[in-house]
Amino acid sequence: MGRAPAIAAALLATVGAGGCTGELPARGEVILVVDTDLPVPQLASALRLDLYSIDESEGLRWYESRTIALPDPRDWPVSFSIYNPPDRQERSALVRLRVYPRGRERDYHGERFLPPPPEDLPPDQPYRPPEAGQPLRLMDRGRDVTPPTEPSPNLTVDRLFRLRLVEGEVGRARIELQGACVGTMADLEGRRSCVSQEKMLEPMEELGAEPASGFVAASQQGSFAPRSGCSRPARPPTEMPGTGPYHDDEVCVPGGAFIFGNVEAFGIDKASGVPERVAVLPSFFIDRYEVTVRRMRRAFAEGFVSPDGSPYPNPGSFNTQLGPESPSYCTYTPTPGPREDYPVNCVSYETARAFCDFYGGDLPTEAQWEYVAQAAGRGAETPYPWGHQEPRCDQVVYARVSAGLAAFTGGNQCVQVSVGPAPVTEIGAEPGDVSLGLGVFALGGSLQEHMRDDFLPLDTVFWAAAPIWSPECQYEDPTSHSARGGTWAAPSSLVYPGLRVESQLGVGMLIASSTSLGFRCVWPDAL
Amino acid sequence: MRAPTTGPSLVIGGMVLSAALGLATGARAQPSPAPPPDPSALADPAPESPPLETPSVDPVERARELFAEGIDHVRNSEWGEALADFQASSALRAHAVTTYNMGASYRAMGRYTRARQQFLDALQRHAQTQELPPHLLEETRRFLSEIDAVLARVPLSISPASAGVTVDGAPLQTQRAGDVTQLVAGVRSAGEGEPIPDGKGTLLLDPGSHVILVSAEGYQHTVVNRTVAPGSNPQLTLKLQPKPSQLRVRASTSPAQVFLNGDFLGIAPLEILRPAGTYELKVVADEREPFTSLVQLESGKAHLVRADLTEESPSVLESWWFWTAAGVVVTGAVIGTYFATRPEPTRPPLDGGGLGWVVPLQ
């Protein structure tokens, strides 16, 4: 303080004007410490903050929106402060925090709240957000600066709370955005959001500034559904001396969380891969190869009985003058022959599932299969099992049709390699049709595979209500099952694991024409 | 997808006939192609052909050999290899029949825009050389009609009109069809996007999935995935958004509050994104002269402003001699003077947390 003010202060004291100081009370301020238990950056790499004021006459007014990318786990927990300007002693505001994977956004058409579906709705009924919602706009001094997009609700943890700030009060408040709430959208109008329990909306709480303790807790990021290994070794391959390998070895698939669904498979009628959602799976085992002819024959020898007589037996060789629907492309032979190492096709869903059950397993769910094809064994999800590279004829078994309609619609792009299904021993040029990290074969091409799930589009009541943990579609009186994967008869555009397939095959002739369908089994990791 | 009506046997038959025409008899001896022989007298050229164990040096003979090799590949449904041989043959000796065969190969591979281009080229060459026999001429026109029904025709509109466009990694080929600008995808090699005339045209696409990339200097590029059905014509309008500009503000002292067009942004140093334009920047700190400046932000560019905050000029009222001179003659006057000249009370600085965000409530 300079000499002049010091003299003036002394004078003030002399004349009894004491009690005035140079310090004003602090602005009411809270430092929000935001953390998440979702894995960063796989399921959480951006944070969005929105502020609303509540006016008795005007209702809700949206006045602030900020988004920041936080792709590094070391960025968490993140903190920033909200303060009360000095023109008013006390203020309240609605604070909305949303954490989501960066890039997963949808166009903003107003506040389109979609609650978890009520239990009495039919599972196959469409369940979609309204086209346009509550017309809430972000205004800045009379200008409309509303962001054009918002985080996709299905992949977002969405939390709402009230913040009250009083002049002079400074402190901290910690908010944890929990993975159990991912996919449960906050109800802005009803002032509700999910706090810690899946699909449960609770009234918003009120927070104020808590005195800072000086201790900052470590981030919880990654503690939601941590990746866990298997509890036992995987089954090794077996071989019959003089006959050949059964290709029956299994692979451990560590559990974890991933994005189930594919925005790249958008708009393909009911087989669309949207809306995406988060799914969490425990560890399990999966067949490294598709079930082969030799392995099926061994099952029959060990007492397995097919419920419908499939797989369809084909004593002859592939007739390359015929289209892919010809039973001449069925691989199973009545007696051991030259196709023992081929994946078995022309087999029904019922027989496939009974085969897996015979050995203590089951068909994979769509979530399990997609997890292995696009997420498991790698740091970030990839479009193809082997990575990002587009499939090539010398690498994947696809487009090997020489006749019929499919030959003129892109199904013959790879006939220079061979025509028809190929043995599981055909590895292919680098990187091969082999999944990253885990080494599971033929998830890209070869045969489409039976899934355990009944087929329903992802925008139906069932999937909206499905749990985050181990989702599986089973409902009363299904009309079709699911299938996944590319096939030897498919053009390159269908060699994409994100494409969902509705399989409506029955018995008899239709099975004989299902030359593109095979299967593999999964086993639980009993802990 | 609706299937082409011609089966493989007829296509192959057409190619075998083509192999026996033009290049098979006397082409080496004549600088211009020989007139087509009577089709009923044609046979498989293989028995008359010398063993093709050593490629010929003579370009015309080599062109013939390649043509025959291409026909062999066609018989084995090896369309890719057949196409390569026909292309090599055409490079040595162009012929409308060879061009026709290239078109048929592309068609069998489902590359309809390329097939269409080859058939159009074959007709164009035929107009000058009369090389296509009547049945192939009719076949060419029929294939073109079939392909025109299969291709998707997408009315395309791009903004800004100067934006470059690629489809599946390759620029478009621009053609005029009357008053309409046709933009053909899949016929050019991979490369940088090129603008389309007036930003408008009809995009010709093979049925299936495609990736469309639109980019322009100063704008955020747009990537669109579209799956088109045969014969469909869905509209596609793409408008690029200008890239925001980045503004970084540093101050010579701390804490310094930053305002942009009167809005409080936070405490310097900070970085923000704003649309391109002119803004009034103001940086203030206690006991410092405010720093003001007009900043011109450009799309996609970063701007750094260093606010040098100078100390406030001392007021005469703060000089010690003033008070000494004034003394304590009049108590009220001293008190009044004190209240007029005391330093502004300050508040504790805001925290900002780890992000440095200081967000005011309203």
Side-chain angles (χ1 to χ4, degrees):
Chain A
M1 187 183 273
R3 187 173 173 189
I7 296 172
L11 287 170
L12 265 178
T14 301
V15 301
C20 295
T21 67
E23 279 286 315
L24 289 171
R27 301 175 186 87
E29 180 188 9
V30 66
I31 294 136
L32 275 180
V33 180
V34 183
D35 195 17
T36 183
D37 60 357
L38 286 170
V40 176
Q42 291 89 340
L43 297 181
S45 55
L47 178 70
R48 169 132 160 196
L49 163 71
D50 293 284
L51 292 179
Y52 310 83
S53 65
I54 310 163
D55 187 281
E56 289 301 323
S57 57
E58 293 180 10
L60 215 56
R61 182 173 68 86
W62 184 16
Y63 64 86
E64 177 71 61
S65 181
R66 300 190 186 195
T67 304
I68 186 165
L70 299 164
D72 193 325
R74 295 170 297 181
D75 292 331
W76 297 83
V78 65
S79 61
F80 55 93
S81 70
I82 300 179
Y83 75 97
N84 177 24
D87 61 322
R88 208 193 291 181
Q89 194 187 17
E90 181 179 326
R91 264 192 180 85
S92 289
L94 235 62
V95 181
R96 186 176 189 179
L97 289 171
R98 285 179 274 188
V99 65
Y100 62 103
R102 194 159 56 134
R104 291 314 213 281
E105 297 171 356
R106 69 175 183 181
D107 293 342
Y108 178 74
H109 297 304
E111 190 61 26
R112 294 185 283 162
F113 171 63
L114 186 69
E119 292 182 1
D120 57 348
L121 288 181
D124 56 348
Q125 179 175 314
Y127 196 73
R128 304 180 190 122
E131 286 296 316
Q134 184 187 353
L136 211 52
R137 308 295 295 176
L138 175 61
M139 304 302 291
D140 176 28
R141 297 157 70 106
R143 289 178 300 134
D144 188 336
V145 293
T146 306
T149 62
E150 62 174 346
S152 288
N154 273 22
L155 303 176
T156 299
V157 177
D158 192 350
R159 181 81 175 269
L160 203 61
F161 57 91
R162 188 178 183 127
L163 195 64
R164 179 172 159 273
L165 295 178
V166 179
E167 187 180 33
E169 292 180 5
V170 178
R172 284 175 180 255
R174 187 180 176 99
I175 300 288
E176 180 150 328
L177 302 174
Q178 298 202 13
C181 290
V182 71
T184 305
M185 187 177 177
D187 177 9
L188 200 55
E189 193 170 356
R191 313 288 193 263
R192 301 179 299 160
S193 68
C194 175
V195 177
S196 60
Q197 206 169 342
E198 190 179 343
K199 296 192 187 359
M200 284 291 297
L201 290 168
E202 300 178 30
M204 70 177 180
E205 59 197 313
E206 179 169 303
L207 298 181
E210 298 286 329
S213 66
F215 171 71
V216 178
S219 173
Q220 301 300 305
Q221 74 85 22
S223 61
F224 175 74
R227 297 234 164 157
S228 57
C230 296
S231 63
R232 63 167 174 84
R235 181 184 64 240
T238 60
E239 181 170 336
M240 171 69 82
T243 303
Y246 290 107
H247 298 294
D248 57 350
D249 47 320
E250 63 182 6
V251 171
C252 164
V253 182
F258 74 111
I259 295 175
F260 174 54
N262 283 266
V263 69
E264 290 85 0
F266 172 73
I268 311 174
D269 195 23
K270 44 184 181 172
S272 172
V274 295
E276 298 174 308
R277 47 175 292 127
V278 170
V280 180
L281 299 174
S283 54
F284 61 98
F285 295 90
I286 190 167
D287 276 332
R288 187 184 295 279
Y289 300 95
E290 294 158 326
V291 173
T292 61
V293 169
R294 182 180 290 119
R295 197 171 160 201
M296 178 65 75
R297 201 183 303 287
R298 177 181 70 174
F300 288 135
E302 291 178 349
F304 170 66
V305 177
S306 167
D308 52 25
S310 67
Y312 186 86
N314 169 31
S317 53
F318 299 156
N319 186 341
T320 60
Q321 300 302 312
L322 299 177
E325 62 284 352
S326 163
S328 77
Y329 290 108
C330 291
T331 54
Y332 190 77
T333 51
T335 55
R339 295 197 293 265
E340 298 301 288
D341 288 325
Y342 279 62
V344 68
N345 58 4
C346 303
V347 61
S348 68
Y349 167 89
E350 287 75 17
T351 298
R353 197 161 186 194
F355 174 97
C356 295
D357 180 68
F358 184 74
Y359 288 107
D362 204 340
L363 291 173
T365 63
E366 276 198 73
Q368 287 177 320
W369 193 93
E370 183 176 308
Y371 180 58
V372 176
Q374 294 186 306
R378 64 209 82 175
E381 294 191 33
T382 58
Y384 299 103
W386 54 84
H388 293 271
Q389 180 186 317
E390 296 289 325
R392 304 192 318 268
C393 289
D394 61 347
Q395 176 217 348
V396 182
V397 178
Y398 74 102
R400 299 192 182 187
V401 176
S402 59
L405 174 62
F408 293 91
T409 55
N412 63 349
Q413 293 163 358
C414 302
V415 292
Q416 69 274 18
V417 181
S418 69
V419 177
V424 300
T425 48
E426 182 177 313
I427 307 293
E430 278 291 321
D433 187 359
V434 186
S435 72
L436 286 172
L438 299 184
V440 178
F441 281 72
L443 294 168
S446 182
L447 295 180
Q448 220 160 52
E449 299 177 21
H450 285 293
M451 296 292 107
R452 192 191 318 169
D453 297 62
D454 300 329
F455 183 87
L456 277 178
L458 291 179
D459 60 352
T460 49
V461 167
F462 174 85
W463 284 107
I468 298 174
W469 292 82
S470 300
E472 176 186 338
C473 185
Q474 299 281 336
Y475 68 98
E476 208 172 318
D477 296 327
T479 57
S480 56
H481 301 292
S482 292
R484 287 290 195 108
T487 90
W488 62 272
S492 59
S493 59
L494 298 182
V495 179
Y496 176 56
L499 290 173
R500 304 182 69 229
V501 179
E502 183 181 13
S503 176
Q504 292 178 308
L505 297 181
V507 297
M509 188 60 191
L510 285 175
I511 292 182
S513 300
S514 61
T515 60
S516 297
L517 259 182
F519 69 102
R520 72 180 77 218
C521 304
V522 294
W523 285 264
D525 178 27
L527 294 173
Chain B
M1 178 190 288
R2 183 169 67 87
T5 53
T6 304
S9 59
L10 182 58
V11 170
I12 293 176
M15 288 191 183
V16 170
L17 283 173
S18 308
L21 289 172
L23 300 179
T25 55
R28 180 174 25 177
Q30 301 178 22
S32 57
D38 181 0
S40 62
L42 292 171
D44 190 325
E48 301 174 7
S49 309
L52 300 175
E53 291 178 354
T54 307
S56 302
V57 176
D58 178 65
V60 173
E61 190 60 31
R62 181 63 188 141
R64 174 179 168 275
E65 289 168 358
L66 287 166
F67 190 98
E69 287 172 15
I71 296 298
D72 284 342
H73 284 302
V74 168
R75 289 198 182 100
N76 294 327
S77 298
E78 295 163 349
W79 302 106
E81 285 77 359
L83 177 64
D85 285 335
F86 292 138
Q87 285 173 331
S89 173
S90 182
L92 291 172
R93 189 178 184 281
H95 196 282
V97 170
T98 312
T99 307
Y100 164 89
N101 281 355
M102 286 157 60
S105 299
Y106 275 125
R107 177 179 168 276
M109 291 160 67
R111 303 294 300 272
Y112 297 109
T113 55
R114 291 204 172 195
R116 173 180 176 274
Q117 191 59 53
Q118 296 302 321
F119 288 134
L120 287 173
D121 289 347
L123 286 181
Q124 190 174 14
R125 184 177 171 92
H126 171 77
Q128 295 164 351
T129 62
Q130 301 300 307
E131 286 172 342
L132 289 177
H135 75 283
L136 282 189
L137 183 62
E138 184 187 328
E139 192 95 325
T140 305
R141 291 184 179 133
R142 195 167 60 78
F143 281 153
L144 279 170
S145 176
E146 172 199 88
I147 288 171
D148 277 344
V150 167
L151 288 180
R153 291 168 188 277
V154 177
L156 177 66
S157 177
I158 305 284
S159 174
S162 59
V165 183
T166 62
V167 175
D168 301 331
L172 304 171
Q173 183 180 70
T174 306
Q175 297 172 348
R176 294 290 300 179
D179 293 333
V180 177
T181 300
Q182 284 186 341
L183 310 162
V184 187
V187 296
R188 292 179 63 184
S189 301
E192 295 288 326
E194 296 173 358
I196 58 179
D198 301 322
K200 287 191 171 97
T202 300
L203 181 60
L204 268 59
L205 289 172
D206 286 342
S209 296
H210 301 278
V211 176
I212 301 159
L213 168 68
V214 184
S215 59
E217 183 72 30
Y219 292 82
Q220 305 192 56
H221 68 258
T222 293
V223 179
V224 172
N225 287 309
R226 280 289 185 270
T227 300
V228 291
S232 64
N233 54 351
Q235 188 124 4
L236 182 61
T237 301
L238 297 171
K239 186 177 177 184
L240 299 187
Q241 297 297 321
K243 279 185 186 171
S245 176
Q246 186 185 61
L247 173 64
R248 300 178 194 159
V249 181
R250 306 280 185 266
S252 59
T253 189
S254 180
Q257 297 179 344
V258 181
F259 296 82
L260 197 69
N261 284 0
D263 298 325
F264 176 69
L265 294 185
I267 307 293
L270 55 71
E271 294 176 12
I272 56 163
L273 291 177
R274 282 293 184 274
T278 304
Y279 297 83
E280 183 191 77
L281 175 69
K282 186 173 180 180
V283 183
V284 299
D286 287 344
E287 299 180 5
R288 301 280 170 162
E289 293 288 343
F291 171 90
T292 57
S293 174
L294 275 180
V295 289
Q296 179 83 31
L297 302 183
E298 298 172 47
S299 287
K301 297 210 173 143
H303 302 265
L304 173 64
V305 176
R306 295 182 198 277
D308 187 14
L309 298 166
T310 56
E311 289 187 5
E312 283 178 338
S313 306
S315 163
V316 66
L317 297 177
E318 294 182 12
S319 302
W320 67 270
W321 49 264
F322 176 83
W323 294 100
T324 305
V328 293
V329 175
V330 177
T331 304
V334 168
I335 295 173
T337 304
Y338 170 73
F339 277 105
T341 61
R342 69 174 179 166
E344 284 292 325
T346 57
R347 296 182 189 270
L350 295 166
D351 189 308
L355 288 180
W357 282 4
V358 185
V359 185
L361 294 185
Q362 289 186 11

